[in-house]
Amino acid sequence: GESVGLHLPTLSVQEGDNSIINCAYSNSASDYFIWYKQESGKGPQFIIDIRSNMDKRQGQRVTVLLNKTVKHLSLQIAATQPGDSAVYFCAEGPVGATNKLIFGTGTLLAVQP
Amino acid sequence: NAGVTQTPKFRILKIGQSMTLQCAQDMNHNYMYWYRQDPGMGLKLIYYSVGAGITDKGEVPNGYNVSRSTTEDFPLRLELAAPSQTSVYFCASKRDISGGYTFGSGTRLTVV
Protein backbone atom coordinates (compact mmCIF):
# COMPACT_ATOMS: atom_id res chain seq x y z
CA GLY A 1 0.00 0.00 0.00
CA GLU A 2 0.93 3.62 0.00
CA SER A 3 3.28 4.73 2.71
CA VAL A 4 5.73 7.38 3.55
CA GLY A 5 8.07 6.52 6.38
CA LEU A 6 10.87 8.11 8.28
CA HIS A 7 14.05 6.26 9.21
CA LEU A 8 14.63 8.09 12.51
CA PRO A 9 11.84 9.04 14.87
CA THR A 10 14.08 11.44 16.84
CA LEU A 11 17.21 13.34 15.98
CA SER A 12 19.30 15.25 18.49
CA VAL A 13 21.92 17.69 17.21
CA GLN A 14 24.14 20.40 18.62
CA GLU A 15 23.41 23.99 17.79
CA GLY A 16 25.44 24.99 14.77
CA ASP A 17 25.70 21.50 13.36
CA ASN A 18 24.02 20.39 10.17
CA SER A 19 20.93 18.17 10.43
CA ILE A 20 19.78 15.54 8.00
CA ILE A 21 16.30 14.09 8.22
CA ASN A 22 15.48 11.14 5.99
CA CYS A 23 12.29 9.83 4.49
CA ALA A 24 11.37 6.80 2.38
CA TYR A 25 8.37 6.76 0.10
CA SER A 26 6.70 3.90 -1.70
CA ASN A 27 4.57 5.42 -4.46
CA SER A 28 6.77 5.71 -7.54
CA ALA A 29 3.99 7.66 -9.27
CA SER A 30 4.23 10.54 -6.80
CA ASP A 31 5.12 13.75 -8.55
CA TYR A 32 5.57 16.13 -5.69
CA PHE A 33 7.32 15.97 -2.33
CA ILE A 34 7.18 18.40 0.53
CA TRP A 35 8.75 18.91 3.90
CA TYR A 36 6.69 20.43 6.68
CA LYS A 37 7.77 21.69 10.07
CA GLN A 38 5.41 21.45 13.02
CA GLU A 39 6.19 23.27 16.23
CA SER A 40 4.49 22.27 19.43
CA GLY A 41 0.84 23.33 19.48
CA LYS A 42 0.88 24.63 15.92
CA GLY A 43 -0.15 23.45 12.49
CA PRO A 44 2.36 22.08 9.96
CA GLN A 45 4.22 24.79 8.14
CA PHE A 46 5.60 24.46 4.62
CA ILE A 47 9.41 24.42 4.44
CA ILE A 48 10.43 23.33 0.97
CA ASP A 49 9.16 21.21 -1.89
CA ILE A 50 10.57 19.38 -4.87
CA ARG A 51 9.08 17.89 -8.00
CA SER A 52 9.92 14.48 -9.34
CA ASN A 53 11.87 15.92 -12.28
CA MET A 54 14.42 17.42 -9.90
CA ASP A 55 17.13 15.89 -7.72
CA LYS A 56 17.91 18.81 -5.47
CA ARG A 57 16.41 22.07 -4.39
CA GLN A 58 17.80 24.67 -2.05
CA GLY A 59 16.14 27.19 0.15
CA GLN A 60 17.36 29.39 2.93
CA ARG A 61 19.49 27.07 5.12
CA VAL A 62 17.52 24.06 3.86
CA THR A 63 18.12 21.65 1.02
CA VAL A 64 15.89 18.82 -0.15
CA LEU A 65 17.38 15.89 -2.02
CA LEU A 66 15.32 13.40 -3.99
CA ASN A 67 16.64 10.01 -5.05
CA LYS A 68 13.96 8.40 -7.18
CA THR A 69 16.00 5.27 -7.77
CA VAL A 70 15.74 4.25 -4.14
CA LYS A 71 12.62 6.32 -3.35
CA HIS A 72 14.37 8.42 -0.77
CA LEU A 73 13.90 12.00 0.29
CA SER A 74 16.03 13.97 2.69
CA LEU A 75 15.96 17.37 4.33
CA GLN A 76 19.23 19.03 5.20
CA ILE A 77 19.29 21.96 7.60
CA ALA A 78 22.50 23.94 7.73
CA ALA A 79 23.78 25.50 10.95
CA THR A 80 20.88 24.18 13.00
CA GLN A 81 19.43 26.65 15.47
CA PRO A 82 17.29 26.18 18.60
CA GLY A 83 14.35 27.56 16.65
CA ASP A 84 14.61 24.58 14.31
CA SER A 85 13.47 22.25 17.09
CA ALA A 86 10.21 20.76 15.88
CA VAL A 87 8.67 17.70 14.27
CA TYR A 88 9.43 17.43 10.57
CA PHE A 89 7.08 15.61 8.20
CA CYS A 90 7.70 14.53 4.67
CA ALA A 91 4.76 14.18 2.34
CA GLU A 92 4.22 12.87 -1.17
CA GLY A 93 1.45 13.35 -3.68
CA PRO A 94 -0.86 14.14 -5.23
CA VAL A 95 -2.63 10.85 -4.75
CA GLY A 96 -5.80 9.69 -6.42
CA ALA A 97 -9.00 11.62 -6.89
CA THR A 98 -8.52 13.44 -3.62
CA ASN A 99 -5.27 15.01 -4.79
CA LYS A 100 -4.24 14.42 -1.22
CA LEU A 101 -0.81 14.25 0.26
CA ILE A 102 0.41 11.22 2.18
CA PHE A 103 2.31 12.12 5.31
CA GLY A 104 4.96 10.29 7.24
CA THR A 105 4.70 10.00 11.01
CA GLY A 106 7.33 12.67 11.60
CA THR A 107 10.83 13.07 13.04
CA LEU A 108 11.42 15.09 16.17
CA LEU A 109 14.47 17.32 15.79
CA ALA A 110 15.91 18.39 19.15
CA VAL A 111 18.59 21.07 19.00
CA GLN A 112 20.91 21.15 22.00
CA PRO A 113 22.39 24.56 22.88
CA ASN B 1 -4.44 37.15 3.80
CA ALA B 2 -5.30 35.33 6.99
CA GLY B 3 -4.66 31.94 5.32
CA VAL B 4 -6.58 29.07 6.93
CA THR B 5 -8.42 29.95 10.11
CA GLN B 6 -9.72 27.32 12.50
CA THR B 7 -11.97 27.82 15.49
CA PRO B 8 -12.10 26.99 18.30
CA LYS B 9 -8.49 26.28 19.30
CA PHE B 10 -9.48 24.08 22.22
CA ARG B 11 -12.66 22.30 23.22
CA ILE B 12 -13.73 19.75 25.79
CA LEU B 13 -16.84 17.75 24.97
CA LYS B 14 -18.80 15.24 26.97
CA ILE B 15 -19.58 11.88 25.43
CA GLY B 16 -22.65 12.18 23.22
CA GLN B 17 -22.41 15.91 22.69
CA SER B 18 -22.12 17.44 19.23
CA MET B 19 -20.07 20.31 17.88
CA THR B 20 -18.87 21.94 14.69
CA LEU B 21 -15.24 22.72 14.00
CA GLN B 22 -14.98 25.76 11.81
CA CYS B 23 -12.51 26.22 8.95
CA ALA B 24 -12.26 29.18 6.64
CA GLN B 25 -9.71 30.16 4.01
CA ASP B 26 -9.38 33.44 2.15
CA MET B 27 -7.03 32.29 -0.62
CA ASN B 28 -9.73 31.15 -3.05
CA HIS B 29 -8.44 27.59 -2.84
CA ASN B 30 -10.54 24.88 -4.44
CA TYR B 31 -9.32 21.91 -2.43
CA MET B 32 -9.95 21.64 1.29
CA TYR B 33 -9.21 18.83 3.70
CA TRP B 34 -9.82 17.78 7.28
CA TYR B 35 -7.18 15.71 9.03
CA ARG B 36 -6.85 14.37 12.52
CA GLN B 37 -3.53 13.92 14.23
CA ASP B 38 -3.15 11.50 17.09
CA PRO B 39 -0.02 11.41 19.30
CA GLY B 40 2.91 9.79 17.51
CA MET B 41 0.83 9.20 14.43
CA GLY B 42 0.70 10.79 11.04
CA LEU B 43 -2.13 12.85 9.67
CA LYS B 44 -5.22 10.87 8.74
CA LEU B 45 -7.68 12.24 6.21
CA ILE B 46 -11.27 12.52 7.45
CA TYR B 47 -13.06 14.33 4.63
CA TYR B 48 -12.11 16.42 1.65
CA SER B 49 -13.67 18.74 -0.88
CA VAL B 50 -12.59 19.58 -4.40
CA GLY B 51 -14.84 22.61 -4.65
CA ALA B 52 -18.00 24.23 -3.38
CA GLY B 53 -20.86 21.75 -3.21
CA ILE B 54 -18.59 18.70 -3.52
CA THR B 55 -17.41 16.62 -0.57
CA ASP B 56 -16.21 13.07 -0.13
CA LYS B 57 -14.94 10.70 2.53
CA GLY B 58 -11.32 10.17 3.38
CA GLU B 59 -9.73 7.35 5.36
CA VAL B 60 -11.51 7.83 8.70
CA PRO B 61 -14.93 9.48 8.09
CA ASN B 62 -17.03 7.61 10.66
CA GLY B 63 -18.54 9.89 13.27
CA TYR B 64 -18.01 13.02 11.21
CA ASN B 65 -19.76 15.02 8.56
CA VAL B 66 -18.90 18.02 6.41
CA SER B 67 -20.44 20.56 4.10
CA ARG B 68 -18.99 22.97 1.55
CA SER B 69 -21.61 25.56 0.68
CA THR B 70 -19.00 28.18 -0.21
CA THR B 71 -15.42 28.13 -1.48
CA GLU B 72 -14.23 29.72 1.74
CA ASP B 73 -15.80 27.55 4.44
CA PHE B 74 -15.48 23.86 5.22
CA PRO B 75 -16.96 23.02 8.64
CA LEU B 76 -16.52 19.61 10.25
CA ARG B 77 -19.42 18.30 12.29
CA LEU B 78 -19.08 15.78 15.11
CA GLU B 79 -22.30 14.07 16.11
CA LEU B 80 -22.45 12.02 19.31
CA ALA B 81 -18.86 12.61 20.36
CA ALA B 82 -16.87 9.58 21.54
CA PRO B 83 -13.55 9.36 23.43
CA SER B 84 -11.96 7.94 20.26
CA GLN B 85 -12.46 11.35 18.68
CA THR B 86 -10.07 12.95 21.12
CA SER B 87 -7.43 14.33 18.79
CA VAL B 88 -5.99 17.43 17.17
CA TYR B 89 -7.87 18.40 14.04
CA PHE B 90 -6.28 20.26 11.16
CA CYS B 91 -7.94 21.88 8.23
CA ALA B 92 -5.87 22.42 5.09
CA SER B 93 -6.40 23.88 1.66
CA LYS B 94 -4.66 24.13 -1.67
CA ARG B 95 -5.41 25.93 -4.89
CA ASP B 96 -5.17 23.17 -7.47
CA ILE B 97 -3.93 19.67 -8.21
CA SER B 98 -0.26 20.39 -7.79
CA GLY B 99 1.26 22.06 -4.81
CA GLY B 100 1.20 21.63 -1.08
CA TYR B 101 -1.27 22.44 1.62
CA THR B 102 -1.70 25.50 3.74
CA PHE B 103 -2.69 24.34 7.21
CA GLY B 104 -4.70 25.96 9.91
CA SER B 105 -3.38 26.11 13.45
CA GLY B 106 -5.53 23.21 14.61
CA THR B 107 -8.30 22.46 17.09
CA ARG B 108 -7.44 20.35 20.11
CA LEU B 109 -10.53 18.34 21.07
CA THR B 110 -10.92 16.24 24.18
CA VAL B 111 -13.97 14.02 24.66
CA VAL B 112 -14.58 12.94 28.25
Side-chain angles (χ1 to χ4, degrees):
Chain A
E2 302 165 338
S3 68
V4 175
L6 295 175
H7 297 306
L8 298 173
T10 59
L11 178 64
S12 183
V13 299
Q14 291 295 124
E15 181 178 358
D17 287 351
N18 296 333
S19 302
I20 300 176
I21 302 172
N22 297 302
C23 176
Y25 66 93
S26 61
N27 189 347
S28 57
S30 289
D31 179 56
Y32 183 62
F33 304 87
I34 311 169
W35 282 100
Y36 284 93
K37 173 186 180 182
Q38 187 176 22
E39 295 174 281
S40 181
K42 297 184 179 180
Q45 185 178 21
F46 173 91
I47 302 173
I48 191 167
D49 59 0
I50 188 168
R51 297 211 174 271
S52 60
N53 61 354
M54 303 171 67
D55 297 321
K56 179 180 180 179
R57 190 165 188 222
Q58 287 183 294
Q60 187 176 14
R61 282 201 308 117
V62 294
T63 300
V64 56
L65 298 177
L66 175 63
N67 185 331
K68 294 180 287 294
T69 301
V70 296
K71 297 179 187 172
H72 186 266
L73 189 70
S74 68
L75 176 70
Q76 300 178 0
I77 304 174
T80 311
Q81 303 169 359
D84 295 327
S85 293
V87 175
Y88 290 81
F89 294 92
C90 63
E92 62 170 320
V95 178
T98 67
N99 290 314
K100 70 179 182 181
L101 298 175
I102 297 175
F103 292 87
T105 54
T107 291
L108 174 62
L109 176 65
V111 181
Q112 309 300 323
Chain B
N1 283 347
V4 178
T5 302
Q6 288 185 242
T7 57
K9 293 189 182 301
F10 304 94
R11 184 72 186 269
I12 298 175
L13 279 182
K14 293 184 178 179
I15 295 171
Q17 286 186 320
S18 299
M19 76 165 293
T20 299
L21 282 66
Q22 301 291 344
C23 176
Q25 52 92 8
D26 60 358
M27 299 171 285
N28 201 32
H29 284 179
N30 291 316
Y31 295 88
M32 295 188 76
Y33 305 83
W34 273 106
Y35 283 87
R36 59 177 287 170
Q37 185 180 41
D38 299 316
M41 303 293 286
L43 292 157
K44 294 185 178 179
L45 182 65
I46 306 171
Y47 268 95
Y48 69 98
S49 170
V50 301
I54 306 170
T55 64
D56 211 338
K57 298 177 180 179
E59 304 166 72
V60 290
N62 291 344
Y64 306 95
N65 216 330
V66 294
S67 60
R68 185 94 181 270
S69 57
T70 65
T71 298
E72 294 77 19
D73 299 299
F74 190 41
L76 177 71
R77 179 79 177 165
L78 277 72
E79 303 282 1
L80 299 174
S84 62
Q85 293 177 303
T86 294
S87 189
V88 181
Y89 291 84
F90 288 103
C91 179
S93 72
K94 64 174 181 171
R95 181 178 302 279
D96 50 32
I97 293 176
S98 61
Y101 298 158
T102 300
F103 281 92
S105 57
T107 295
R108 184 175 295 275
L109 176 67
T110 302
V111 181
V112 296

mmCIF file of all heavy atoms in Angstrom, chain B residues 1-7 21-29 32-34 68 70-76 91-93 102-105:
data_model
loop_
_atom_site.group_PDB
_atom_site.id
_atom_site.type_symbol
_atom_site.label_atom_id
_atom_site.label_comp_id
_atom_site.label_asym_id
_atom_site.label_seq_id
_atom_site.Cartn_x
_atom_site.Cartn_y
_atom_site.Cartn_z
ATOM 1 N N ASN B 1 -3.768 38.453 3.734
ATOM 2 C CA ASN B 1 -4.444 37.153 3.795
ATOM 3 C C ASN B 1 -4.287 36.528 5.172
ATOM 4 O O ASN B 1 -3.214 36.503 5.737
ATOM 5 C CB ASN B 1 -3.833 36.194 2.771
ATOM 6 C CG ASN B 1 -4.303 36.485 1.367
ATOM 7 O OD1 ASN B 1 -5.241 37.233 1.175
ATOM 8 N ND2 ASN B 1 -3.642 35.894 0.393
ATOM 9 N N ALA B 2 -5.382 36.013 5.707
ATOM 10 C CA ALA B 2 -5.303 35.327 6.985
ATOM 11 C C ALA B 2 -4.875 33.883 6.782
ATOM 12 O O ALA B 2 -4.448 33.226 7.716
ATOM 13 C CB ALA B 2 -6.649 35.377 7.695
ATOM 14 N N GLY B 3 -5.016 33.329 5.567
ATOM 15 C CA GLY B 3 -4.660 31.942 5.316
ATOM 16 C C GLY B 3 -5.823 31.040 5.661
ATOM 17 O O GLY B 3 -6.957 31.262 5.249
ATOM 18 N N VAL B 4 -5.551 30.006 6.476
ATOM 19 C CA VAL B 4 -6.575 29.075 6.926
ATOM 20 C C VAL B 4 -6.824 29.324 8.402
ATOM 21 O O VAL B 4 -5.893 29.250 9.205
ATOM 22 C CB VAL B 4 -6.151 27.611 6.697
ATOM 23 C CG1 VAL B 4 -7.233 26.667 7.216
ATOM 24 C CG2 VAL B 4 -5.874 27.353 5.231
ATOM 25 N N THR B 5 -8.056 29.631 8.731
ATOM 26 C CA THR B 5 -8.424 29.955 10.106
ATOM 27 C C THR B 5 -9.325 28.882 10.681
ATOM 28 O O THR B 5 -10.359 28.554 10.096
ATOM 29 C CB THR B 5 -9.155 31.308 10.168
ATOM 30 O OG1 THR B 5 -8.306 32.322 9.608
ATOM 31 C CG2 THR B 5 -9.486 31.672 11.608
ATOM 32 N N GLN B 6 -8.923 28.337 11.820
ATOM 33 C CA GLN B 6 -9.718 27.320 12.501
ATOM 34 C C GLN B 6 -10.190 27.837 13.850
ATOM 35 O O GLN B 6 -9.426 28.460 14.584
ATOM 36 C CB GLN B 6 -8.891 26.057 12.745
ATOM 37 C CG GLN B 6 -8.592 25.250 11.503
ATOM 38 C CD GLN B 6 -7.864 23.957 11.833
ATOM 39 O OE1 GLN B 6 -6.732 23.747 11.401
ATOM 40 N NE2 GLN B 6 -8.512 23.100 12.605
ATOM 41 N N THR B 7 -11.428 27.524 14.158
ATOM 42 C CA THR B 7 -11.974 27.817 15.490
ATOM 43 C C THR B 7 -12.861 26.673 15.936
ATOM 44 O O THR B 7 -13.488 26.006 15.102
ATOM 45 C CB THR B 7 -12.800 29.124 15.480
ATOM 46 O OG1 THR B 7 -13.841 28.998 14.514
ATOM 47 C CG2 THR B 7 -11.932 30.328 15.184
ATOM 48 N N LEU B 21 -16.543 22.087 14.112
ATOM 49 C CA LEU B 21 -15.236 22.724 13.999
ATOM 50 C C LEU B 21 -15.258 23.585 12.736
ATOM 51 O O LEU B 21 -15.586 23.097 11.651
ATOM 52 C CB LEU B 21 -14.116 21.690 13.896
ATOM 53 C CG LEU B 21 -13.664 20.980 15.176
ATOM 54 C CD1 LEU B 21 -14.769 20.095 15.737
ATOM 55 C CD2 LEU B 21 -12.414 20.155 14.904
ATOM 56 N N GLN B 22 -14.919 24.839 12.932
ATOM 57 C CA GLN B 22 -14.984 25.758 11.807
ATOM 58 C C GLN B 22 -13.634 25.861 11.091
ATOM 59 O O GLN B 22 -12.575 25.804 11.721
ATOM 60 C CB GLN B 22 -15.412 27.147 12.274
ATOM 61 C CG GLN B 22 -16.758 27.192 12.970
ATOM 62 C CD GLN B 22 -17.915 26.924 12.022
ATOM 63 O OE1 GLN B 22 -17.779 26.978 10.797
ATOM 64 N NE2 GLN B 22 -19.080 26.618 12.594
ATOM 65 N N CYS B 23 -13.707 26.003 9.766
ATOM 66 C CA CYS B 23 -12.513 26.218 8.955
ATOM 67 C C CYS B 23 -12.861 27.187 7.838
ATOM 68 O O CYS B 23 -13.860 26.976 7.133
ATOM 69 C CB CYS B 23 -12.008 24.908 8.365
ATOM 70 S SG CYS B 23 -10.605 25.122 7.244
ATOM 71 N N ALA B 24 -12.054 28.211 7.697
ATOM 72 C CA ALA B 24 -12.264 29.184 6.642
ATOM 73 C C ALA B 24 -10.928 29.561 6.024
ATOM 74 O O ALA B 24 -9.935 29.706 6.738
ATOM 75 C CB ALA B 24 -12.951 30.431 7.192
ATOM 76 N N GLN B 25 -10.926 29.714 4.692
ATOM 77 C CA GLN B 25 -9.709 30.165 4.012
ATOM 78 C C GLN B 25 -10.061 31.310 3.066
ATOM 79 O O GLN B 25 -11.140 31.328 2.469
ATOM 80 C CB GLN B 25 -9.022 29.007 3.269
ATOM 81 C CG GLN B 25 -9.898 28.210 2.338
ATOM 82 C CD GLN B 25 -9.923 28.696 0.901
ATOM 83 O OE1 GLN B 25 -9.156 29.588 0.513
ATOM 84 N NE2 GLN B 25 -10.798 28.108 0.094
ATOM 85 N N ASP B 26 -9.132 32.245 2.952
ATOM 86 C CA ASP B 26 -9.381 33.439 2.146
ATOM 87 C C ASP B 26 -8.453 33.504 0.944
ATOM 88 O O ASP B 26 -8.156 34.594 0.435
ATOM 89 C CB ASP B 26 -9.247 34.694 3.000
ATOM 90 C CG ASP B 26 -7.863 34.857 3.609
ATOM 91 O OD1 ASP B 26 -7.003 33.971 3.401
ATOM 92 O OD2 ASP B 26 -7.643 35.869 4.297
ATOM 93 N N MET B 27 -7.982 32.347 0.487
ATOM 94 C CA MET B 27 -7.028 32.294 -0.618
ATOM 95 C C MET B 27 -7.682 31.813 -1.912
ATOM 96 O O MET B 27 -6.991 31.556 -2.900
ATOM 97 C CB MET B 27 -5.873 31.370 -0.231
ATOM 98 C CG MET B 27 -5.127 31.849 1.001
ATOM 99 S SD MET B 27 -3.926 30.659 1.628
ATOM 100 C CE MET B 27 -5.028 29.462 2.400
ATOM 101 N N ASN B 28 -8.999 31.632 -1.887
ATOM 102 C CA ASN B 28 -9.734 31.152 -3.053
ATOM 103 C C ASN B 28 -9.251 29.768 -3.501
ATOM 104 O O ASN B 28 -9.198 29.479 -4.704
ATOM 105 C CB ASN B 28 -9.639 32.151 -4.218
ATOM 106 C CG ASN B 28 -10.765 31.962 -5.223
ATOM 107 O OD1 ASN B 28 -11.866 31.581 -4.866
ATOM 108 N ND2 ASN B 28 -10.459 32.211 -6.479
ATOM 109 N N HIS B 29 -8.898 28.939 -2.529
ATOM 110 C CA HIS B 29 -8.443 27.585 -2.839
ATOM 111 C C HIS B 29 -9.637 26.674 -3.105
ATOM 112 O O HIS B 29 -10.649 26.726 -2.408
ATOM 113 C CB HIS B 29 -7.631 27.026 -1.671
ATOM 114 C CG HIS B 29 -6.243 27.590 -1.599
ATOM 115 N ND1 HIS B 29 -5.354 27.217 -0.605
ATOM 116 C CD2 HIS B 29 -5.588 28.462 -2.376
ATOM 117 C CE1 HIS B 29 -4.208 27.855 -0.800
ATOM 118 N NE2 HIS B 29 -4.331 28.620 -1.868
ATOM 119 N N MET B 32 -10.025 21.513 -0.166
ATOM 120 C CA MET B 32 -9.948 21.639 1.288
ATOM 121 C C MET B 32 -10.023 20.261 1.917
ATOM 122 O O MET B 32 -10.679 19.352 1.378
ATOM 123 C CB MET B 32 -11.055 22.557 1.825
ATOM 124 C CG MET B 32 -10.920 24.000 1.346
ATOM 125 S SD MET B 32 -12.051 25.137 2.135
ATOM 126 C CE MET B 32 -11.285 25.330 3.761
ATOM 127 N N TYR B 33 -9.359 20.129 3.075
ATOM 128 C CA TYR B 33 -9.206 18.830 3.705
ATOM 129 C C TYR B 33 -9.344 18.966 5.217
ATOM 130 O O TYR B 33 -8.949 19.970 5.795
ATOM 131 C CB TYR B 33 -7.804 18.263 3.422
ATOM 132 C CG TYR B 33 -7.444 18.178 1.956
ATOM 133 C CD1 TYR B 33 -6.945 19.287 1.281
ATOM 134 C CD2 TYR B 33 -7.587 16.981 1.254
ATOM 135 C CE1 TYR B 33 -6.617 19.207 -0.069
ATOM 136 C CE2 TYR B 33 -7.256 16.894 -0.094
ATOM 137 C CZ TYR B 33 -6.772 18.014 -0.743
ATOM 138 O OH TYR B 33 -6.451 17.933 -2.077
ATOM 139 N N TRP B 34 -9.850 17.901 5.827
ATOM 140 C CA TRP B 34 -9.820 17.778 7.276
ATOM 141 C C TRP B 34 -8.999 16.554 7.644
ATOM 142 O O TRP B 34 -9.250 15.452 7.145
ATOM 143 C CB TRP B 34 -11.229 17.617 7.853
ATOM 144 C CG TRP B 34 -11.916 18.907 8.127
ATOM 145 C CD1 TRP B 34 -12.926 19.471 7.420
ATOM 146 C CD2 TRP B 34 -11.647 19.797 9.216
ATOM 147 N NE1 TRP B 34 -13.297 20.663 7.991
ATOM 148 C CE2 TRP B 34 -12.536 20.882 9.097
ATOM 149 C CE3 TRP B 34 -10.747 19.784 10.281
ATOM 150 C CZ2 TRP B 34 -12.549 21.943 9.995
ATOM 151 C CZ3 TRP B 34 -10.765 20.832 11.172
ATOM 152 C CH2 TRP B 34 -11.658 21.899 11.030
ATOM 153 N N ARG B 68 -19.817 21.954 2.243
ATOM 154 C CA ARG B 68 -18.992 22.967 1.552
ATOM 155 C C ARG B 68 -19.943 23.824 0.710
ATOM 156 O O ARG B 68 -20.047 23.684 -0.492
ATOM 157 C CB ARG B 68 -17.958 22.291 0.650
ATOM 158 C CG ARG B 68 -17.005 23.301 0.000
ATOM 159 C CD ARG B 68 -15.754 23.503 0.773
ATOM 160 N NE ARG B 68 -14.866 24.475 0.169
ATOM 161 C CZ ARG B 68 -13.919 24.176 -0.731
ATOM 162 N NH1 ARG B 68 -13.765 22.930 -1.151
ATOM 163 N NH2 ARG B 68 -13.132 25.128 -1.204
ATOM 164 N N THR B 70 -19.742 27.101 0.422
ATOM 165 C CA THR B 70 -18.996 28.179 -0.211
ATOM 166 C C THR B 70 -17.556 27.729 -0.433
ATOM 167 O O THR B 70 -17.104 26.757 0.177
ATOM 168 C CB THR B 70 -18.968 29.454 0.651
ATOM 169 O OG1 THR B 70 -18.234 29.182 1.853
ATOM 170 C CG2 THR B 70 -20.383 29.915 1.008
ATOM 171 N N THR B 71 -16.829 28.438 -1.275
ATOM 172 C CA THR B 71 -15.416 28.127 -1.479
ATOM 173 C C THR B 71 -14.619 28.333 -0.202
ATOM 174 O O THR B 71 -13.667 27.603 0.070
ATOM 175 C CB THR B 71 -14.836 29.019 -2.601
ATOM 176 O OG1 THR B 71 -15.528 28.748 -3.808
ATOM 177 C CG2 THR B 71 -13.352 28.749 -2.802
ATOM 178 N N GLU B 72 -15.022 29.323 0.589
ATOM 179 C CA GLU B 72 -14.229 29.721 1.744
ATOM 180 C C GLU B 72 -14.354 28.789 2.959
ATOM 181 O O GLU B 72 -13.415 28.616 3.714
ATOM 182 C CB GLU B 72 -14.621 31.137 2.181
ATOM 183 C CG GLU B 72 -14.288 32.225 1.170
ATOM 184 C CD GLU B 72 -15.264 32.281 0.011
ATOM 185 O OE1 GLU B 72 -16.400 31.750 0.137
ATOM 186 O OE2 GLU B 72 -14.899 32.836 -1.040
ATOM 187 N N ASP B 73 -15.527 28.218 3.167
ATOM 188 C CA ASP B 73 -15.803 27.545 4.437
ATOM 189 C C ASP B 73 -15.952 26.035 4.283
ATOM 190 O O ASP B 73 -16.601 25.555 3.341
ATOM 191 C CB ASP B 73 -17.079 28.120 5.062
ATOM 192 C CG ASP B 73 -16.951 29.602 5.354
ATOM 193 O OD1 ASP B 73 -16.062 29.949 6.154
ATOM 194 O OD2 ASP B 73 -17.712 30.380 4.772
ATOM 195 N N PHE B 74 -15.428 25.319 5.255
ATOM 196 C CA PHE B 74 -15.482 23.855 5.219
ATOM 197 C C PHE B 74 -15.608 23.346 6.653
ATOM 198 O O PHE B 74 -14.655 22.851 7.250
ATOM 199 C CB PHE B 74 -14.220 23.328 4.548
ATOM 200 C CG PHE B 74 -14.245 21.847 4.224
ATOM 201 C CD1 PHE B 74 -15.378 21.234 3.725
ATOM 202 C CD2 PHE B 74 -13.099 21.067 4.403
ATOM 203 C CE1 PHE B 74 -15.393 19.886 3.397
ATOM 204 C CE2 PHE B 74 -13.103 19.712 4.086
ATOM 205 C CZ PHE B 74 -14.248 19.117 3.578
ATOM 206 N N PRO B 75 -16.787 23.450 7.256
ATOM 207 C CA PRO B 75 -16.961 23.023 8.640
ATOM 208 C C PRO B 75 -17.007 21.508 8.786
ATOM 209 O O PRO B 75 -17.515 20.805 7.905
ATOM 210 C CB PRO B 75 -18.294 23.663 9.031
ATOM 211 C CG PRO B 75 -19.032 23.821 7.735
ATOM 212 C CD PRO B 75 -17.986 24.079 6.692
ATOM 213 N N LEU B 76 -16.513 21.037 9.907
ATOM 214 C CA LEU B 76 -16.524 19.611 10.249
ATOM 215 C C LEU B 76 -17.455 19.408 11.430
ATOM 216 O O LEU B 76 -17.269 20.030 12.474
ATOM 217 C CB LEU B 76 -15.114 19.137 10.609
ATOM 218 C CG LEU B 76 -14.977 17.678 11.050
ATOM 219 C CD1 LEU B 76 -15.178 16.740 9.854
ATOM 220 C CD2 LEU B 76 -13.602 17.426 11.674
ATOM 221 N N CYS B 91 -7.331 21.579 9.520
ATOM 222 C CA CYS B 91 -7.936 21.880 8.229
ATOM 223 C C CYS B 91 -6.817 22.368 7.316
ATOM 224 O O CYS B 91 -5.897 23.055 7.773
ATOM 225 C CB CYS B 91 -8.996 22.963 8.406
ATOM 226 S SG CYS B 91 -9.817 23.474 6.887
ATOM 227 N N ALA B 92 -6.890 22.004 6.049
ATOM 228 C CA ALA B 92 -5.872 22.424 5.093
ATOM 229 C C ALA B 92 -6.541 22.745 3.769
ATOM 230 O O ALA B 92 -7.631 22.257 3.464
ATOM 231 C CB ALA B 92 -4.820 21.331 4.906
ATOM 232 N N SER B 93 -5.864 23.552 2.977
ATOM 233 C CA SER B 93 -6.398 23.883 1.662
ATOM 234 C C SER B 93 -5.256 23.986 0.663
ATOM 235 O O SER B 93 -4.096 24.195 1.043
ATOM 236 C CB SER B 93 -7.177 25.196 1.703
ATOM 237 O OG SER B 93 -6.308 26.310 1.846
ATOM 238 N N THR B 102 -1.819 24.499 2.678
ATOM 239 C CA THR B 102 -1.703 25.498 3.738
ATOM 240 C C THR B 102 -2.565 24.998 4.882
ATOM 241 O O THR B 102 -3.753 24.711 4.680
ATOM 242 C CB THR B 102 -2.183 26.877 3.271
ATOM 243 O OG1 THR B 102 -1.390 27.308 2.164
ATOM 244 C CG2 THR B 102 -2.051 27.880 4.405
ATOM 245 N N PHE B 103 -1.977 24.876 6.050
ATOM 246 C CA PHE B 103 -2.691 24.338 7.206
ATOM 247 C C PHE B 103 -3.189 25.444 8.114
ATOM 248 O O PHE B 103 -2.580 26.508 8.228
ATOM 249 C CB PHE B 103 -1.758 23.448 8.034
ATOM 250 C CG PHE B 103 -1.557 22.079 7.476
ATOM 251 C CD1 PHE B 103 -0.503 21.831 6.623
ATOM 252 C CD2 PHE B 103 -2.402 21.037 7.813
ATOM 253 C CE1 PHE B 103 -0.295 20.562 6.102
ATOM 254 C CE2 PHE B 103 -2.207 19.763 7.301
ATOM 255 C CZ PHE B 103 -1.149 19.527 6.443
ATOM 256 N N GLY B 104 -4.284 25.139 8.794
ATOM 257 C CA GLY B 104 -4.704 25.964 9.909
ATOM 258 C C GLY B 104 -3.896 25.612 11.149
ATOM 259 O O GLY B 104 -3.057 24.698 11.124
ATOM 260 N N SER B 105 -4.155 26.310 12.226
ATOM 261 C CA SER B 105 -3.375 26.113 13.453
ATOM 262 C C SER B 105 -3.906 24.975 14.314
ATOM 263 O O SER B 105 -3.290 24.617 15.308
ATOM 264 C CB SER B 105 -3.340 27.404 14.264
ATOM 265 O OG SER B 105 -4.657 27.817 14.555
#
